Amino acid sequence: MSASEEAKPDRKAADSPPILVSACLLGETIRYHGGHARCEHPALERWLAEGRVLSLCPEVAGGLPTPRPPSEVADAAGGEAVLAGRARVIEKSGGDVTAQFLTGARLAQALVRKHGIRVAILKEGSPTCGSSYTHDGRFLGVHIPQPGVTTAMLLQEGVRVFSEAQLDEAVACVEALDRSA
Protein backbone atom coordinates (compact mmCIF):
# COMPACT_ATOMS: atom_id res chain seq x y z
CA MET A 1 0.00 0.00 0.00
CA SER A 2 1.36 3.39 -0.89
CA ALA A 3 1.73 6.15 1.66
CA SER A 4 -1.00 8.13 -0.07
CA GLU A 5 -3.60 5.40 0.37
CA GLU A 6 -5.62 5.09 3.52
CA ALA A 7 -4.71 2.08 5.62
CA LYS A 8 -7.69 0.18 6.99
CA PRO A 9 -7.30 -0.63 10.66
CA ASP A 10 -8.00 -4.22 11.66
CA ARG A 11 -8.41 -3.52 15.34
CA LYS A 12 -9.16 -6.14 17.96
CA ALA A 13 -11.27 -3.73 19.99
CA ALA A 14 -13.64 -1.34 18.27
CA ASP A 15 -13.36 1.06 21.20
CA SER A 16 -9.59 1.51 20.66
CA PRO A 17 -9.17 4.25 18.07
CA PRO A 18 -6.32 3.98 15.62
CA ILE A 19 -3.10 5.94 15.96
CA LEU A 20 -1.97 8.03 13.01
CA VAL A 21 1.74 7.51 12.24
CA SER A 22 3.98 9.19 9.68
CA ALA A 23 4.65 6.61 6.98
CA CYS A 24 8.38 7.40 6.98
CA LEU A 25 8.59 6.37 10.65
CA LEU A 26 7.26 2.95 9.62
CA GLY A 27 10.05 2.54 7.07
CA GLU A 28 8.30 3.70 3.91
CA THR A 29 10.78 5.36 1.56
CA ILE A 30 8.74 8.51 0.99
CA ARG A 31 10.81 11.29 2.58
CA TYR A 32 11.80 14.23 0.43
CA HIS A 33 15.24 12.66 -0.23
CA GLY A 34 13.74 9.28 -1.10
CA GLY A 35 14.63 7.63 2.20
CA HIS A 36 12.80 6.78 5.39
CA ALA A 37 13.15 7.53 9.09
CA ARG A 38 12.20 4.11 10.48
CA CYS A 39 11.55 4.26 14.18
CA GLU A 40 11.78 1.02 16.08
CA HIS A 41 9.92 1.14 19.34
CA PRO A 42 8.07 -1.66 21.13
CA ALA A 43 4.86 0.38 21.26
CA LEU A 44 4.86 0.98 17.51
CA GLU A 45 5.41 -2.74 16.93
CA ARG A 46 2.57 -3.61 19.34
CA TRP A 47 0.18 -1.08 17.77
CA LEU A 48 1.03 -2.43 14.31
CA ALA A 49 0.37 -6.00 15.49
CA GLU A 50 -2.95 -4.88 17.00
CA GLY A 51 -3.94 -3.20 13.73
CA ARG A 52 -4.17 0.22 15.42
CA VAL A 53 -1.83 2.11 13.11
CA LEU A 54 -2.99 4.25 10.22
CA SER A 55 0.01 5.19 8.09
CA LEU A 56 0.09 8.46 6.18
CA CYS A 57 2.58 10.75 4.50
CA PRO A 58 0.66 14.02 4.12
CA GLU A 59 3.14 15.36 1.56
CA VAL A 60 2.78 12.33 -0.73
CA ALA A 61 -0.97 12.16 -0.08
CA GLY A 62 -1.13 15.83 -1.06
CA GLY A 63 0.38 15.03 -4.45
CA LEU A 64 4.13 15.54 -4.03
CA PRO A 65 6.54 13.03 -5.60
CA THR A 66 9.36 11.09 -3.97
CA PRO A 67 12.04 12.30 -4.08
CA ARG A 68 11.19 16.01 -4.06
CA PRO A 69 13.01 19.23 -3.25
CA PRO A 70 13.14 20.05 0.47
CA SER A 71 10.44 22.47 1.59
CA GLU A 72 10.04 24.89 4.49
CA VAL A 73 7.38 27.31 5.66
CA ALA A 74 8.54 30.76 4.56
CA ASP A 75 9.35 33.59 6.94
CA ALA A 76 9.52 31.39 10.07
CA ALA A 77 5.74 31.45 10.13
CA GLY A 78 4.88 27.81 10.94
CA GLY A 79 1.95 25.61 9.99
CA GLU A 80 -0.75 27.63 11.76
CA ALA A 81 0.04 30.62 9.55
CA VAL A 82 -0.18 28.41 6.45
CA LEU A 83 -3.64 27.18 7.52
CA ALA A 84 -4.72 30.78 8.06
CA GLY A 85 -3.48 31.81 4.61
CA ARG A 86 -0.75 34.08 5.99
CA ALA A 87 2.24 31.97 4.92
CA ARG A 88 3.38 29.73 2.07
CA VAL A 89 5.36 26.50 1.88
CA ILE A 90 8.27 26.95 -0.50
CA GLU A 91 10.68 24.44 -2.00
CA LYS A 92 14.39 25.12 -1.78
CA SER A 93 14.26 25.48 -5.57
CA GLY A 94 11.64 28.24 -5.18
CA GLY A 95 8.47 26.36 -6.10
CA ASP A 96 5.31 26.98 -4.07
CA VAL A 97 3.90 23.71 -2.68
CA THR A 98 1.40 25.25 -0.28
CA ALA A 99 -1.58 23.66 -2.06
CA GLN A 100 -0.11 20.16 -1.75
CA PHE A 101 0.68 20.67 1.94
CA LEU A 102 -2.87 21.89 2.59
CA THR A 103 -4.34 18.94 0.68
CA GLY A 104 -2.27 16.51 2.76
CA ALA A 105 -3.34 18.22 5.99
CA ARG A 106 -7.00 18.01 4.96
CA LEU A 107 -6.62 14.30 4.17
CA ALA A 108 -5.14 13.74 7.64
CA GLN A 109 -8.04 15.74 9.10
CA ALA A 110 -10.50 13.50 7.23
CA LEU A 111 -8.85 10.38 8.69
CA VAL A 112 -9.10 11.86 12.19
CA ARG A 113 -12.80 12.56 11.76
CA LYS A 114 -13.60 9.23 10.08
CA HIS A 115 -11.74 7.01 12.54
CA GLY A 116 -11.89 8.99 15.78
CA ILE A 117 -8.11 9.35 15.96
CA ARG A 118 -6.95 11.06 19.14
CA VAL A 119 -3.18 10.48 18.96
CA ALA A 120 -0.64 10.93 16.17
CA ILE A 121 3.08 10.14 15.98
CA LEU A 122 4.61 12.39 13.33
CA LYS A 123 8.13 13.07 12.02
CA GLU A 124 9.80 15.85 13.98
CA GLY A 125 11.21 18.82 12.09
CA SER A 126 9.16 18.20 8.97
CA PRO A 127 7.37 21.23 7.48
CA THR A 128 4.19 19.19 7.54
CA CYS A 129 4.63 16.85 10.53
CA GLY A 130 6.94 18.68 12.94
CA SER A 131 5.37 18.93 16.38
CA SER A 132 7.81 20.85 18.56
CA TYR A 133 9.81 22.43 15.76
CA THR A 134 10.08 23.06 12.04
CA HIS A 135 12.57 25.21 10.12
CA ASP A 136 12.63 28.95 9.54
CA GLY A 137 12.21 28.99 5.75
CA ARG A 138 15.77 29.95 4.87
CA PHE A 139 17.07 26.37 4.39
CA LEU A 140 19.92 26.95 6.84
CA GLY A 141 18.94 24.30 9.40
CA VAL A 142 17.57 26.85 11.86
CA HIS A 143 14.81 25.39 14.06
CA ILE A 144 11.78 27.38 15.18
CA PRO A 145 9.21 26.31 17.80
CA GLN A 146 6.33 26.11 15.32
CA PRO A 147 4.25 23.10 14.26
CA GLY A 148 4.15 21.84 10.70
CA VAL A 149 1.06 22.25 8.52
CA THR A 150 -0.55 18.85 9.22
CA THR A 151 0.35 19.01 12.89
CA ALA A 152 -1.32 22.41 13.17
CA MET A 153 -4.45 20.99 11.51
CA LEU A 154 -4.52 17.97 13.84
CA LEU A 155 -4.02 20.13 16.91
CA GLN A 156 -7.06 22.18 15.84
CA GLU A 157 -8.96 18.87 15.75
CA GLY A 158 -7.92 18.10 19.34
CA VAL A 159 -5.46 15.36 18.40
CA ARG A 160 -2.46 14.89 20.69
CA VAL A 161 0.59 14.98 18.41
CA PHE A 162 3.92 13.46 19.43
CA SER A 163 7.23 13.12 17.61
CA GLU A 164 9.27 9.95 17.32
CA ALA A 165 11.38 11.28 20.21
CA GLN A 166 8.29 11.37 22.43
CA LEU A 167 7.06 7.81 21.99
CA ASP A 168 7.11 7.03 25.71
CA GLU A 169 4.88 10.05 26.32
CA ALA A 170 2.62 8.92 23.46
CA VAL A 171 2.33 5.45 25.04
CA ALA A 172 1.24 6.99 28.35
CA CYS A 173 -1.31 9.15 26.54
CA VAL A 174 -2.74 6.23 24.53
CA GLU A 175 -2.97 4.05 27.64
CA ALA A 176 -4.76 6.80 29.57
CA LEU A 177 -7.20 7.35 26.69
CA ASP A 178 -7.84 3.61 26.41
CA ARG A 179 -8.55 3.36 30.16
CA SER A 180 -11.01 6.24 29.98
CA ALA A 181 -12.91 4.81 26.99
Side-chain angles (χ1 to χ4, degrees):
M1 176 178 301
S2 79
S4 62
E5 295 175 350
E6 176 185 338
K8 302 283 190 236
D10 181 25
R11 299 189 311 275
K12 292 179 182 177
D15 60 344
S16 297
I19 299 154
L20 186 65
V21 179
S22 289
C24 66
L25 296 177
L26 299 173
E28 291 191 41
T29 54
I30 44 75
R31 294 197 68 212
Y32 72 93
H33 52 61
H36 62 78
R38 177 178 291 284
C39 180
E40 295 187 15
H41 190 280
L44 275 179
E45 298 303 320
R46 183 176 71 247
W47 294 331
L48 282 163
E50 293 171 356
R52 287 190 72 176
V53 170
L54 282 177
S55 171
L56 179 73
C57 173
E59 293 177 23
V60 172
L64 294 173
T66 301
R68 56 193 170 274
S71 301
E72 294 186 5
V73 177
D75 302 321
E80 293 168 352
V82 174
L83 295 179
R86 296 188 316 267
R88 312 295 293 162
V89 183
I90 305 299
E91 295 174 324
K92 188 172 186 177
S93 58
D96 187 330
V97 289
T98 306
Q100 292 90 335
F101 273 67
L102 289 171
T103 297
R106 288 184 194 109
L107 290 169
Q109 178 187 49
L111 286 176
V112 164
R113 291 177 176 177
K114 179 178 181 181
H115 296 286
I117 294 168
R118 298 182 289 173
V119 173
I121 314 296
L122 303 180
K123 178 68 184 116
E124 188 63 275
S126 158
T128 194
C129 292
S131 56
S132 60
Y133 75 87
T134 55
H135 294 88
D136 73 353
R138 297 179 297 157
F139 299 94
L140 298 173
V142 177
H143 296 175
I144 58 168
Q146 293 288 334
V149 178
T150 294
T151 296
M153 177 75 78
L154 297 182
L155 291 171
Q156 289 178 1
E157 291 290 318
V159 175
R160 296 283 312 271
V161 181
F162 299 90
S163 76
E164 68 275 18
Q166 299 170 309
L167 271 161
D168 291 335
E169 294 171 48
V171 169
C173 179
V174 168
E175 289 173 353
L177 289 169
D178 286 350
R179 281 192 304 274
S180 69

